[in-house]
Amino acid sequence: MNEAGEPRGDEMVSDTALGTECDLAHGEDESLDALRLALEDLRSEIRAQLPESRRASSGANDVDWLGLFEELRQRLATLGMKERFAAVDEFGMDVQALARSRSILDFLLDRYWRVEVVGVSQLPRPGPCLMVANRSGLLPYDGLMLSHIVERFGPYAERPRFMVADWFITLPFAQPYLARLGGVRACRENADRLLRKGVSVVAFPEGVKGAAKTFRERYQLKRFGRGGVVRAAIENGVPLVPVGIVGAEEAHPVLFKSHLPARMLGLPFIPVTPTFPLLGPLGLLPLPTKWIVSIGEPICLEPPGDDAHEELLISRLTEDLRLRIQSLVDEGLDRRPSVWS
Amino acid sequence: MGEPACIAVTGLDTFLGQRLVERLLARPGGPRVLGIDLQRPLRFAGRIDFQRVDLTNPTADGQLARILLDQGVEVFVHLAFRRSPTPDLEYDHELETIGSLHVLNACAAAKLRRLVVSSSTMLYGARPDNPNFLCETHRLAGHPDAHCVQNRIEVENLLARWTPRHPDTEVTVLRRCWVMGPTYTDHVVRYFERPVVPTMMGYDPLLQFVHEEDMLDVFEQAARASHPGVFNVVGRGVLPLSMLLALAGKRRLPLPAPLLYRLSNYPSQGQTGDPPAGFYDYLRYLWVADGEQTWAEFGEPIYSTKEAWISLVAARRLERYR
């Protein structure tokens, strides 16, 4: 692969030496620097041979006026652009936006939901892991909180990303904020890419089914997709970490789902909570329930040897994972005296 | 296999054609260039050979094959595509799809060594179910309303069928994303040049650009040496639309989606406006392509997305003060 890259430099130099390039390319900088150094050596040699009286004044003449003018022109043209910090990572997470919203996230974590975190020390280190949690609520507050918890208390250098189901990630007005805060569309390609780069991922295999749970069905985990999480963990060689989140499911108690107006708006359903749509956008505010986040023991998976039973094995592992999370959730529910405290 | 002795280039009048031929001619002892177009390009007078072929002509394939054989062409660079979509849907289709079909037929008859075709990452389509990075193997979903994209998808489908049947010819398909730079212009650049840029309310997609020089570098390498395969020609890094506009000090005008679609449709149907139907989907959903394979094969790009954008904005600012 490197051989392919090498001749490129030569081509650039020869092109620019002939003066056919309109733009100054960065590639020629090296050869120009070498030239400049050689010129500087020559100048100092000449200066050393000059008589004492002229030595001091001779330095003033070598100002490159044209270069200076060009430099000034370029500076003027890019004024206010190059200096400005504008950078997001390749999945659109914005470090500055995160830093700005840190105090809000901390407030939500410590004061609003009074999140009790159990078992952070269980997180496998080093390296990334695939956290799997129960999904609940309308907006992905649970994923946001879990990745914030792991960044604050966990052992990883990179903030974990949380996966968001398809229609949330393209929801107007929510989409820009979700991406800035570390939300990523839930699909195998994204999970693989993040795990390969060493970034942990929070997945909610219940998907939209989980978000659509009504209040009566709370804390009963739905079917886990088609085994995508287990497959992703095996293929990337990362441990699975089951996480049970208690409290998020009462933050948006969905009484029932309305389908007909939703179809007109192109949404899968419209949740009716005690406050939404009654109070308008204000009703989207989550309730201040008490949260318990319990992080379970990591599961290290070996790649299955023979592929005759692979499908069966993966579906069994997926079901096993679901039961573990269910028991974590049940334990959390037992620890909590009431929804509010 | 060293450098090819003769390279044929179609679409000499496009930005890519002009600049690529300049680059090929720049090195002494380089290949002979055979231009194939409708009009004799005056800027290359005396420096290249020229043959007039109308690719929309039903007999263009036979004519082209004879020329390729007579001139001993080894490498064919097919760039005869519209830079911006035009209101003339029928001619666009004839030129892009049928013209490419004629080129493929002629190349098969002439048993070429290499064929380089320009394509676009817009062919993947901007869709809500795209992953954050689209690989070269991803399905080409396109956009039902954008005829320019549909034409090129047909070209790629033709190519995908043609390539395995002609194993002697290496095929390089270069899919480029939106190009930015001091001298490049197309409908996308014209859209971004406005002082007030209409955007879709509630959406802020990640965008990715490639600098014109980086793109030309890749095309030149593909013409000179063997790099078979499909490649996404993109710059490093992505930036959200709002951040790009803030960098350039431009205002954004967020409009609700239905209104924006309607507003963009009327002028393009009335054959006066620039961004065609379906353009705004590309400012709504993700369609960022993965360039790892290209960077490994052709070398690192010099400009990142941000630098390509800055070079465009800086060039336009300087023009204003000239």
Side-chain angles (χ1 to χ4, degrees), chain B residues 192-248:
Chain B
F192 280 111
E193 271 172 11
R194 301 173 185 170
V196 180
V197 179
T199 61
M200 197 167 282
M201 199 184 267
Y203 289 93
D204 193 11
L206 295 172
L207 293 178
Q208 145 191 79
F209 302 135
V210 63
H211 193 271
E212 53 185 40
E213 294 296 328
D214 285 332
M215 173 188 71
L216 285 167
D217 254 6
V218 171
F219 272 85
E220 192 190 352
Q221 287 188 56
R224 282 188 194 273
S226 155
H227 299 282
V230 182
F231 297 99
N232 291 330
V233 183
V234 299
R236 272 203 189 271
V238 290
L239 275 182
L241 177 61
S242 63
M243 229 178 241
L244 287 170
L245 297 180
L247 261 181

Side-chain angles (χ1 to χ4, degrees), chain A residues 1 4 8 11 18 21 23 26 77 79 81 84 88 90-91 94 170 172-173 175-176 180 185 190 193, chain B residues 26-27 129-130 132-133 182 202-204 213 217 221 238 242-243 247 290 296-298 300 302 306 317:
Chain A
M1 287 303 164
R8 187 175 136 111
E11 275 169 34
L18 283 161
E21 289 297 312
D23 301 305
H26 291 308
L79 199 68
M81 285 200 288
R84 199 177 166 125
V88 296
E90 56 174 29
F91 282 90
D94 184 350
T170 52
F173 304 103
Q175 180 260 336
R180 299 264 168 106
R185 188 187 154 244
N190 286 348
R193 197 179 169 97
Chain B
R27 216 164 354 149
D129 56 355
N130 276 347
N132 275 48
F133 286 89
Y203 289 93
D204 193 11
E213 294 296 328
D217 254 6
Q221 287 188 56
V238 290
S242 63
M243 229 178 241
L247 261 181
D290 185 2
E297 180 87 18
F298 293 95
E300 279 289 310
I302 294 165
K306 185 184 171 190
R317 281 189 192 171

Side-chain angles (χ1 to χ4, degrees), chain A residues 208-238:
Chain A
V208 178
K209 293 193 303 300
K213 269 185 272 190
T214 57
F215 191 62
R216 204 184 312 157
E217 303 167 297
R218 67 189 184 280
Y219 301 124
Q220 292 159 22
L221 266 69
K222 298 270 185 179
R223 180 176 56 78
F224 268 18
R226 277 146 291 173
V229 251
V230 173
R231 244 180 267 266
I234 291 176
E235 277 167 31
N236 292 293
V238 296

